[in-house]
Amino acid sequence: MKKYDSRVMVSFDGKCPMGCKHCYTYDLEKKECNRDINELVQEIEEKIFDIIYISQSYENFFDEIRGLRLCHMLYEKYQKDMFIITRSFLSNKVIDKLGKLNQVMKSEGHQLFIAVSVCAEQSYGFTEQKGVCPTPQQRLLNLERVHNVDIKTILLVRPVFPDSIIPVYECKILIERSKSYINAVVSSGLIVTNKIIERLGLRDNGLLYQSDGDSEYLADLEPGKAKYVDVDNELNEIQDFCISNSIQFFKHSIPALNYLATL
């Protein structure tokens, strides 16, 4: 049985154009570099991994043709399973090409997984830029269409906010709408820095924090800057909703992918 033990993340350079207020990458001092796809592909050559995440500090499908080319070149070189995470709205043409890539990968004993990130239904504009970031409905349509071309799908309900800020029922609405074409839900809570709190306008909101937490996505953030907002009650409510709807629920992506690899 296939099991993922180590991952590598690949992402385009520069400031992500999505402008999500909760994103830690806007706290980083970006190096002045704009590597081409060949350089990005070559950069991970010495690393050990069994799955490639097309994700981290940039929305890799903001230019969807460029994102598609990145996937093709990574697979051609490494012949590894791949996991795409996106907030972009993908065209039918790109969905079709991803479906064909998936068929090639499956014929060679590999898999392609796709997830979309969404944290709210009506309230998404609280943290995402309306008019730049596609609507939650558009992102769910991504999942429905990639499911229809036989790609396994994950709904990433994150970041989860305290119910007093973004009601947890909005997360449940997203799950209810997509349950016929998702294979799993992965959900995790809001992680903040002082600058994120300022961007969200939550400085005087009385947020409660957990004593610790971990996220590989924050590896390039200065230690001690990240604080993990306590949303255990909200996550438990989402998990219970998934269980009641016979949907697999996870708090981290690797266990979810290990589950999907068995389907």
Side-chain angles (χ1 to χ4, degrees):
M1 182 184 299
K2 183 175 288 189
K3 185 176 187 297
Y4 304 113
D5 295 310
S6 56
R7 64 182 177 178
V8 66
M9 298 181 184
V10 178
S11 182
F12 289 122
D13 294 320
K15 182 178 179 181
C16 181
M18 285 293 190
C20 300
K21 299 173 190 175
H22 62 265
C23 184
Y24 82 98
T25 65
Y26 300 110
D27 288 21
L28 303 175
E29 290 187 14
K30 290 289 185 179
K31 297 178 181 178
E32 291 297 326
C33 60
N34 187 24
R35 292 164 295 174
D36 62 26
I37 293 177
N38 283 315
E39 291 174 298
L40 292 173
V41 171
Q42 292 296 329
E43 187 182 61
I44 64 172
E45 191 170 22
E46 302 300 320
K47 297 184 178 181
I48 298 173
F49 55 91
D50 45 36
I51 187 166
I52 302 171
Y53 277 47
I54 316 298
S55 170
Q56 193 174 25
S57 59
Y58 193 95
E59 172 47 65
N60 291 295
F61 278 79
F62 194 81
D63 178 340
E64 62 175 2
I65 301 302
R66 190 174 176 227
L68 182 66
R69 184 163 174 259
L70 175 63
C71 293
H72 276 282
M73 292 181 66
L74 284 166
Y75 183 69
E76 287 170 8
K77 181 168 179 62
Y78 297 110
Q79 301 287 295
K80 297 285 189 179
D81 292 8
M82 294 191 298
F83 180 39
I84 297 169
I85 301 175
T86 185
R87 276 185 163 83
S88 289
F89 179 67
L90 305 178
S91 68
N92 288 332
K93 179 180 179 180
V94 165
I95 295 284
D96 181 64
K97 288 184 179 296
L98 287 171
K100 290 176 180 176
L101 173 60
N102 180 53
Q103 291 303 314
V104 170
M105 292 176 66
K106 288 172 67 175
S107 71
E108 296 173 348
H110 300 285
Q111 297 195 64
L112 175 66
F113 309 99
I114 295 183
V116 300
S117 293
V118 59
C119 63
E121 188 216 16
Q122 294 296 322
S123 303
Y124 77 100
F126 177 77
T127 186
E128 298 171 335
Q129 301 292 334
K130 288 186 175 181
V132 178
C133 197
T135 66
Q137 291 74 21
Q138 288 175 311
R139 281 175 269 172
L140 294 186
L141 185 57
N142 280 346
L143 291 176
E144 183 175 14
R145 289 178 297 148
V146 297
H147 169 81
N148 289 340
V149 294
D150 202 29
I151 298 174
K152 294 173 184 175
T153 60
I154 295 176
L155 176 63
L156 293 176
V157 182
R158 66 184 192 192
V160 173
F161 282 73
D163 183 71
S164 60
I165 298 172
I166 293 181
V168 71
Y169 74 78
E170 292 196 26
C171 300
K172 294 192 286 186
I173 288 173
L174 297 169
I175 297 167
E176 173 66 30
R177 288 179 178 171
S178 61
K179 64 182 181 182
S180 65
Y181 47 82
I182 57 175
N183 296 110
V185 167
V186 174
S187 192
S188 57
L190 176 67
I191 303 171
V192 298
T193 62
N194 288 338
K195 289 183 178 179
I196 289 173
I197 291 173
E198 185 176 341
R199 287 197 297 271
L200 289 168
L202 295 178
R203 187 164 298 282
D204 300 317
N205 208 267
L207 294 175
L208 301 177
Y209 300 103
Q210 296 176 332
S211 57
D212 57 18
D214 66 276
S215 174
E216 190 175 341
Y217 276 83
L218 305 180
D220 48 1
L221 188 64
E222 185 180 326
K225 277 196 170 184
K227 295 185 285 187
Y228 295 77
V229 177
D230 186 352
V231 289
D232 279 351
N233 290 337
E234 289 82 356
L235 289 172
N236 288 337
E237 190 172 339
I238 292 169
Q239 181 175 14
D240 290 344
F241 185 77
C242 287
I243 291 171
S244 68
N245 283 276
S246 301
I247 300 168
Q248 294 292 321
F249 174 88
F250 302 89
K251 291 184 179 179
H252 298 282
S253 58
I254 285 289
L257 293 171
N258 283 329
Y259 162 72
L260 264 59
T262 68
L263 298 181

